[in-house]
Amino acid sequence: MSEKQKTFSIIKPDAVASGKAGKILSLLEESGFRIVALRMTKLSQSQAEGFYAVHRERPFYSSLVKFMTEGPVIVMALEREDAVKKLRDVMGATNPANAAEGTVRKLFAESIERNAIHGSDAPETAAEELKFFFNSVELNQL
Ligand code: GDP
């Protein structure tokens, strides 16, 4: 049996505000993810800036930070085998216009920016992002 892996995800402000959080959680569970930890929160300016620091030179950075702080988000630790890659698959392409049928972004994203969900892009990023939002007790629950 292959080993379980954890990844980090955010249901973004657009999807929480439009009442899609429950449907997205269902889709994730139906796709084989176990919810290990979950919390609703509102990102501060500095949290959003820090979280997306890798994009700080991009033209959309300030708009992205504004969007991510506009309302509540749901942060989650998710677990399954090959979790990082499998979550990227079920999220769909960044731009919903390019997202495959049945993916979260195809179903629920409004635009390339307001695209419903975040998922870590690599195991190393997942470890960092999980630690950014959850403590070790929360991440090791049975
Ligand atoms: P992801 O890994 O698919 O989330 O995509 P990226 O890491 O490239 O970008 C991070 C987030 O920035 C995306 O999920 C979008 O919310 C936003 N974003 C990415 N590209 C663009 C863009 O070209 N324009 C705008 N306005 N936002 C973007």
Side-chain angles (χ1 to χ4, degrees):
M1 209 177 90
S2 39
E3 208 165 305
K4 294 226 167 77
Q5 184 183 52
K6 286 190 184 73
T7 192
F8 175 74
S9 183
I10 304 177
I11 301 179
K12 294 185 178 183
D14 57 326
V16 173
S18 63
K20 299 299 191 303
K23 287 197 167 71
I24 292 173
L25 288 171
S26 286
L27 206 159
L28 294 174
E29 288 190 323
E30 284 159 13
S31 305
F33 291 92
R34 187 173 76 88
I35 300 167
V36 173
L38 178 150
R39 185 169 73 246
M40 180 171 270
T41 186
K42 193 162 180 291
L43 299 186
S44 67
Q45 175 87 11
S46 64
Q47 274 180 317
E49 285 173 354
F51 188 76
Y52 280 118
V54 64
H55 291 309
R56 65 185 171 275
E57 305 300 335
R58 310 282 285 275
F60 58 82
Y61 179 64
S62 59
S63 173
L64 175 61
V65 168
K66 186 158 182 276
F67 160 53
M68 289 299 291
T69 55
E70 75 179 24
V73 296
I74 293 174
V75 294
M76 299 174 279
L78 299 172
E79 185 178 73
R80 61 161 290 165
E81 118 299 310
D82 205 15
V84 171
K85 182 178 180 307
K86 294 285 199 260
L87 179 62
R88 300 290 301 183
D89 290 347
V90 76
M91 282 164 52
T94 307
N95 186 345
N98 303 326
E101 290 300 326
T103 59
V104 174
R105 284 168 167 171
K106 181 70 174 188
L107 290 165
F108 304 116
E110 295 173 18
S111 68
I112 191 168
E113 179 172 280
R114 304 175 70 83
N115 61 2
I117 189 166
H118 164 85
S120 307
D121 62 4
E124 301 72 30
T125 330
E128 281 171 27
E129 293 178 350
L130 286 166
K131 274 212 308 206
F132 194 89
F133 286 100
F134 296 106
N135 66 42
S136 60
V137 174
E138 291 168 315
L139 291 177
N140 289 303
Q141 286 170 358
L142 291 178

